[in-house]
Amino acid sequence: MTAPTSQPTAPSQKTQQLVLLGAGHAHVQVLAQLAAQPLPGTVVTLVSPNQRLVYSGMVPGFVAGHYPLDSCVIPLEPLVQRSGIRWIERSAVGLDMQKQLIQLDDGGTLPFDWLSVNTGPVQDRERIERDLPGAREHGLFVRPMDAFSSLWPRVVEMGEARALRIAVVGAGAGGIELALAARHRLPNAAVTLVCGKEPPGAVYTAKFQQRLLAVLKKHKVTVLQDMAVSLTAGSVQLGCGADLACDVPVLALGAQAPQWLAGSGLALDTEGFLAVDMYQRSTSHSRVFAAGDASTRMDRALARSGVYAVRAGEALAHNLAAAVAGAALKPHQPPATTLNLLSCGGRYAVASWGGFSTQGWWVWLLKNWIDRRFVARFSRPSV
């Protein structure tokens, strides 16, 4: 096997077409960089159906009632205007790498010379329905977050009229935060966290898991270490055979790869996401780059962090500019140790850094400052 090189395929002298597929956290940084330093001889096109990016780090705070939704979103139009690029408000449904064409959901196609993928996380409804029958009819999907955020106020209205039974299915960081946020916003609700086979926060250290369990217990969130196997009107069927009474099943099951990646011809990892090298470049196609939820497992785990999104976006912006210019790329590796901040419903949060963990109101203030700073960085109006 040949050693990886930081030199991309040499660009031609004609005007080049760079397509940014998706408006994820890293791509908003790329847009900001393009506003400061346009790419000469390059037509840049953003493909995204959304008018705004809902920042996932602040969604639990919105659910808990700490933020209005407008404080949690980055409008795309001002960023696009400042960067001077073209914007196609469509979604990708296919990718032909031989012809270097993106197939759009309106039946059109878009050619590219260079492609960067940062679509943000998706929940594959067909796949989830196969694993959890009844999900499409009865479940409240967390993603896309724009849709979830639009529906959550209806849940609040219902919860203010009567005591709800809410089940959050999925016990990763997002599921834990949403369960605690729902409990805070609707104190009369019965909230259950359905974990699956592993305990809440299984990716964290045993000490941090214990801290999370203690917080969940303190806030009266019931934890069930069992599988949800199907949904019906008014209940969640569990793997043990029992029925969990439920008015609102919130599906926080993590992200899946976009379906169109499967037939793209790009190298994928074992979970169907884009396989990339140290330069955020496809391991099979040197003119394709990816960051965040579309790429490596570590990138996906860190994509909800504003601090990490900025770093990944800065590296991606540099490498895209270098690639189209035929210059050397810059390695980008996710940090070995990361700061994890999880909100606990109220203005209180827990934190972990390597083997160290802590909690308190001051951790929430730190998280609040980081999150607000990330949104504000990209939200100034165009002039």
Side-chain angles (χ1 to χ4, degrees):
M1 178 183 292
T2 15
T5 171
S6 66
Q7 290 292 341
T9 304
S12 65
Q13 296 304 310
K14 68 179 180 69
T15 299
Q16 300 185 88
Q17 304 288 332
L18 167 61
V19 175
L20 306 177
L21 186 51
H25 295 162
H27 271 175
V28 296
Q29 175 64 46
V30 173
L31 292 176
Q33 186 64 29
L34 287 170
Q37 293 180 308
L39 300 180
T42 307
V43 175
V44 182
T45 303
L46 172 69
V47 177
S48 173
N50 304 312
Q51 294 283 332
R52 59 190 184 178
L53 167 66
V54 179
Y55 175 46
S56 58
M58 292 181 74
V59 167
F62 160 72
V63 169
H66 301 311
Y67 310 121
L69 184 57
D70 286 349
S71 296
C72 310
V73 302
I74 298 171
L76 291 182
E77 187 174 356
L79 274 172
V80 169
Q81 289 182 354
R82 288 198 297 271
S83 62
I85 70 169
R86 185 170 58 144
W87 181 11
I88 297 177
E89 296 183 52
R90 309 303 312 183
S91 295
V93 295
L95 185 60
D96 186 333
M97 285 308 304
Q98 287 189 334
K99 297 180 180 178
Q100 293 190 182
L101 286 175
I102 298 168
Q103 298 163 2
L104 302 176
D105 58 0
D106 64 354
T109 58
L110 179 66
F112 63 89
D113 298 302
W114 302 91
L115 175 64
S116 179
V117 183
N118 183 219
T119 50
V122 299
Q123 286 184 302
D124 185 337
R125 280 161 166 68
E126 289 184 13
R127 175 178 164 184
I128 292 173
E129 178 66 26
R130 288 195 300 269
D131 296 338
L132 185 63
R136 297 188 79 160
E137 183 179 358
H138 304 291
L140 176 56
F141 287 83
V142 170
R143 301 184 186 279
M145 283 195 164
D146 208 347
F148 171 78
S149 302
S150 298
L151 292 170
W152 177 250
R154 298 187 195 177
V155 178
V156 173
E157 287 179 11
M158 291 167 54
E160 289 173 344
R162 63 186 178 91
L164 291 177
R165 299 161 299 181
I166 298 174
V168 178
V169 182
I176 293 168
E177 286 187 301
L178 288 174
L180 289 165
R183 190 75 182 85
H184 179 80
R185 183 66 183 83
L186 299 170
N188 294 324
V191 180
T192 302
L193 187 63
V194 183
C195 301
K197 296 178 180 178
E198 296 180 324
V203 297
Y204 301 112
T205 64
K207 184 176 179 181
F208 193 53
Q209 288 179 45
Q210 291 171 3
R211 192 182 291 273
L212 291 172
L213 279 169
V215 169
L216 290 163
K217 182 178 180 180
K218 177 183 177 181
H219 291 280
K220 297 182 172 58
V221 174
T222 302
V223 176
L224 292 181
Q225 197 168 325
D226 199 349
M227 298 291 295
V229 295
S230 66
L231 303 181
T232 60
S235 70
V236 177
Q237 282 72 53
L238 302 173
C240 67
D243 284 357
L244 172 66
C246 174
D247 302 302
V248 184
V250 178
L251 304 184
L253 294 168
Q256 291 84 43
Q259 288 184 344
W260 53 263
L261 274 178
S264 66
L266 292 164
L268 307 177
D269 66 14
T270 54
E271 296 177 66
F273 292 88
L274 271 167
V276 297
D277 62 17
M278 69 180 75
Y279 306 109
Q280 299 166 295
R281 178 182 55 184
S282 165
T283 56
S284 60
H285 293 75
S286 62
R287 287 177 170 263
V288 177
F289 291 76
D293 290 283
S295 59
T296 66
R297 177 188 292 269
M298 181 59 76
D299 263 11
R300 299 198 298 275
L302 297 175
R304 66 197 300 273
S305 161
V307 174
Y308 176 72
V310 168
R311 292 176 184 172
E314 288 172 345
L316 181 62
H318 174 276
N319 284 337
L320 289 173
V324 299
L329 308 183
K330 180 171 68 176
H332 168 71
Q333 292 289 353
T337 303
T338 59
L339 176 63
N340 300 287
L341 301 170
L342 277 67
S343 56
C344 299
R347 295 175 185 267
Y348 195 89
V350 295
S352 74
W353 173 268
F356 171 77
S357 65
T358 187
Q359 63 191 71
W361 58 267
W362 64 271
V363 180
W364 188 89
L365 289 178
L366 173 63
K367 176 174 168 49
N368 176 65
W369 178 78
I370 291 172
D371 290 343
R372 285 185 176 275
R373 187 165 175 258
F374 176 76
V375 171
R377 177 173 183 160
F378 302 106
S379 295
R380 66 181 179 88
S382 57
V383 293

